[in-house]
Structures are given as C-alpha cells and as structure tokens.
Amino acid sequence: MSDTTLWLTIAAAVAVIVATKLAGHLIPPSWVSSPKITPIVSLVSVALLAGLVAQQTLDGGHHLVLDARVAALAVAAIALWRKAPFIVVIILAAATAALLRYLGWG
C-alpha cells in the first residue's frame, strides 16, 4: 500500500467518523423521546459495553482468555449492578486491570 493510499484511507475514515458524530447531534430530540425509541436509546450503552467485553474477552475468536480483563469485567459488572455512573465503571475496570497487570497477573 502506498503512502498516498494509506493517508487517503485514514482521511476517509476520519470523515466517516466525524459525519457519524455530527449526525448524532443533529437528530431531533422528538425522535429519541418517542415511546417506541426510549427503551432502545436507554440500552445503547449496555449494548456498547457488551460488544466491547465480547471483543476484548475473546482472543481472535479462537479461545477464551482468562487474565486481568476477566477481573476488570467482574469489577465493572459489580459497579453496574450498584448503579455507578458509566465513567466510574470504566475507571474502576481500567484500574483493576492495571493493578493486576502490575502485580503480574495477565
């Protein structure tokens, strides 16, 4: 792949990401406050977290990895169960994984 092709691909990816984020801000509030849409919108963060967990827990789709990420997942699950704010859940899980990796586990 040439340098020009690489940079054009990166620029296209950036444009798609910016357009997607902008589209999210331009959605009229009436669309997401609809009784049919509200339950779906409230589960978006759960679906995102579940997707990230599945992708990070499975190593290339070939086998299950049991390391610091599993403990971080457990801490995140407990924090979610205790209704901690999403950013707190992320910080707790990251700190757990970092500490366990520092101690040599995973």
Side-chain angles (χ1 to χ4, degrees):
M1 179 181 287
S2 71
D3 286 344
T4 304
T5 305
L6 177 64
W7 283 109
L8 287 174
T9 304
I10 291 171
V14 168
V16 168
I17 291 167
V18 169
T20 303
K21 287 185 166 281
L22 182 61
H25 290 289
L26 296 176
I27 293 175
S30 62
W31 288 10
V32 289
S33 62
S34 162
K36 291 182 180 180
I37 301 296
T38 302
I40 296 169
V41 171
S42 66
L43 294 176
V44 168
S45 62
V46 175
L48 175 63
L49 181 61
L52 290 171
V53 166
Q55 192 272 330
Q56 289 294 317
T57 303
L58 301 174
D59 184 25
H62 300 294
H63 62 281
L64 186 64
V65 176
L66 299 175
D67 58 6
R69 293 177 287 187
V70 176
L73 173 60
V75 168
I78 291 168
L80 285 170
W81 174 62
R82 300 293 298 170
K83 299 187 185 332
F86 190 66
I87 189 69
V88 173
V89 172
I90 298 298
I91 290 170
L92 288 173
T96 300
L99 177 65
L100 290 175
R101 286 180 176 155
Y102 176 75
L103 296 175
W105 191 62

